[in-house]
Amino acid sequence: MTESESHQLEDLCRAARTHRLYGEEHSTLHPDIWTALRNSPLPRAALPSYCGGLEWDVPQIVDAVHALSMADPSLGWAAAIHAPAGAFIARLETETALLVCATSDGLPPLIAGSSAPVGSAEVTGGHVRLCGTWPLVTSAPEMTVAALAAPDPQDGKPRWWFVPRSAVRVEDDWDAVGLRGSASCSVTCETLVPAGHSVRLTEPARLDLPLYRFPLYGLMSACIAAVTRAIADRAIASFRELTHTTQPRHAHATLAHLAPVQAAYALAVTRLDAAARLADTAVAAAWTGALRGPVPDAERAQLRAACAHLSQTAATVCQDLFEVAGSAGVHRANLMESCWRDTAVASRHALVAARGRQLAGAQLLTGTAAGDL
């Protein structure tokens, strides 16, 4: 990451902190934040260089997502989706990639999508007719390209089709408990897509570089885990501040001096630290493997398991601290309740929830890796 790119991210973080409440109230980020995100390095982080991409190292991508999430979890969530999406493009033919990435303003594409293979793809000449409604498409109103999953008409296995924003209709249906600013709306389309404008994410990238040898689902999981980690970091900081300023009724000292509160805080800090260190170790091991060649299935499984564990631990930490804070934690000013809500939503993403853990466990127990590990 260059000094200029680092400054851009710092500026984006400052702006996000200023406008955080806008997302809570409007179910989308502030217009200035969307513009800043689009102009930031994040949409280009994993994009191939011939499409204007930066091809960052995986640890850099994960660290950047964590930093943005500390400023505003909804912004971090958007970054966690858009940054890895650049690696999708590395699975396309070069000429096709350039067509998919072309934008009217000359900026790199903002790629969003849905992994639920709920649409249909019917072959029509050299195209497919893609139809359906896909839920939970983060940044749907602001994206320039939608990557939508549907069963491949040839073998029925999931395939992702790249559809321009102009060909989809965004439903204004994002009104969730947490990550409210992420604008994770449903999208609908019925359009013809060139057959070559699609990828299967379980297949190797066409570019033999460490970034693209790194397991793609592992990269996405690591970014999501980075968001949940940041939310829990925010919860711990907010809880600490709250304990020094709140004195419960019938108590003779602030919360910080009560034994049960002290024990709960120590447990939360150590739980999160241990889970974060495990995830960092797994990311580093997989990245080291990618620098050498294909990442072994065992390291892929350990990565997915560690990311799922971090996300679940972060959710538990936020829940536990919110409970210990009592009535003092319900006020929006101290962030405790928003951390509880945000991590409850983030930890439900399929990549880090039960499905992610099951895939990792299947490999660790039986030595049989699923295709989307």
Side-chain angles (χ1 to χ4, degrees):
M1 186 187 306
T2 66
E3 186 175 349
S4 174
E5 291 162 359
S6 179
H7 287 323
Q8 281 183 287
L9 292 182
E10 290 171 3
D11 291 344
L12 180 54
C13 287
R14 279 192 291 271
R17 285 190 288 269
T18 299
H19 294 295
R20 185 186 66 83
L21 291 179
Y22 185 95
E24 288 285 321
E25 296 168 0
H26 298 87
S27 293
T28 186
L29 296 175
H30 190 280
D32 290 349
I33 303 303
W34 284 124
T35 299
L37 176 61
R38 180 80 194 288
N39 285 276
S40 79
L42 263 299
R44 296 179 289 145
L47 199 65
S49 59
Y50 52 75
C51 291
L54 301 173
E55 297 179 359
W56 278 0
D57 294 352
V58 165
Q60 286 184 313
I61 296 174
V62 175
D63 288 347
V65 170
H66 180 267
L68 294 179
S69 301
M70 288 295 293
D72 180 356
S74 289
L75 170 62
W77 188 259
I81 301 303
H82 302 313
F88 292 16
I89 302 299
R91 286 157 172 78
L92 291 170
E93 294 278 2
T94 302
E95 291 184 3
T96 303
L98 292 171
L99 287 173
V100 169
C101 292
T103 57
S104 59
D105 55 12
L107 291 173
L110 195 67
I111 304 170
S114 174
S115 60
V118 293
S120 64
E122 179 183 350
V123 176
T124 304
H127 293 68
V128 298
R129 182 174 296 280
L130 189 67
C131 303
T133 299
W134 288 262
L136 303 174
V137 179
T138 294
S139 310
E142 305 297 327
M143 67 184 177
T144 62
V145 177
L148 304 175
D152 191 316
Q154 293 186 343
D155 59 17
K157 295 180 180 179
R159 196 169 188 85
W160 295 59
W161 308 86
F162 294 103
V163 183
R165 170 66 177 85
S166 59
V168 304
R169 183 177 75 252
V170 176
E171 311 292 344
D172 186 16
D173 60 358
W174 180 245
D175 186 17
V177 170
L179 299 177
R180 291 182 54 79
S182 66
S184 299
C185 305
S186 300
V187 303
T188 299
C189 82
E190 181 176 351
T191 188
L192 289 176
V193 182
H197 288 211
S198 65
V199 296
R200 184 166 286 165
L201 299 187
T202 54
E203 294 179 347
R206 295 179 181 275
L207 293 175
D208 187 26
L209 297 172
L211 172 59
Y212 306 120
R213 290 196 294 263
F214 194 93
L216 181 52
Y217 283 107
L219 172 58
M220 293 189 286
S221 298
C223 287
I224 290 168
V227 179
T228 61
R229 175 183 182 176
I231 299 170
D233 284 336
R234 287 161 58 89
I236 287 172
S238 297
F239 182 80
R240 180 182 176 84
E241 180 180 353
L242 185 69
T243 63
H244 285 282
T245 58
T246 302
Q247 182 170 331
R249 188 180 304 175
H250 309 306
H252 300 293
T254 60
L255 284 171
H257 293 86
L258 303 183
V261 174
Q262 294 169 343
Y265 181 76
L267 180 60
V269 170
T270 51
R271 271 182 172 175
L272 184 64
D273 184 63
R277 287 174 186 268
L278 177 64
D280 288 345
T281 298
V283 169
W287 178 244
T288 299
L291 291 172
R292 300 192 188 107
V295 179
D297 288 337
E299 290 183 4
R300 290 170 177 256
Q302 290 165 355
L303 174 61
R304 292 294 300 276
C307 292
H309 177 62
L310 174 53
S311 295
Q312 184 57 57
T313 300
T316 300
V317 164
C318 290
Q319 171 70 32
D320 289 352
L321 292 182
F322 184 64
E323 291 292 338
V324 173
S327 60
V330 302
H331 300 284
R332 294 175 66 185
N334 61 38
L335 300 184
M336 287 297 301
E337 60 87 28
S338 68
C339 291
W340 169 58
R341 291 187 291 106
D342 286 342
T343 197
V345 173
S347 63
R348 281 168 167 74
H349 193 285
L351 286 174
V352 295
R355 173 61 174 166
R357 292 192 296 272
Q358 181 266 315
L359 289 173
Q363 169 64 35
L364 296 171
L365 276 174
T366 68
T368 304
D372 51 353
L373 182 63

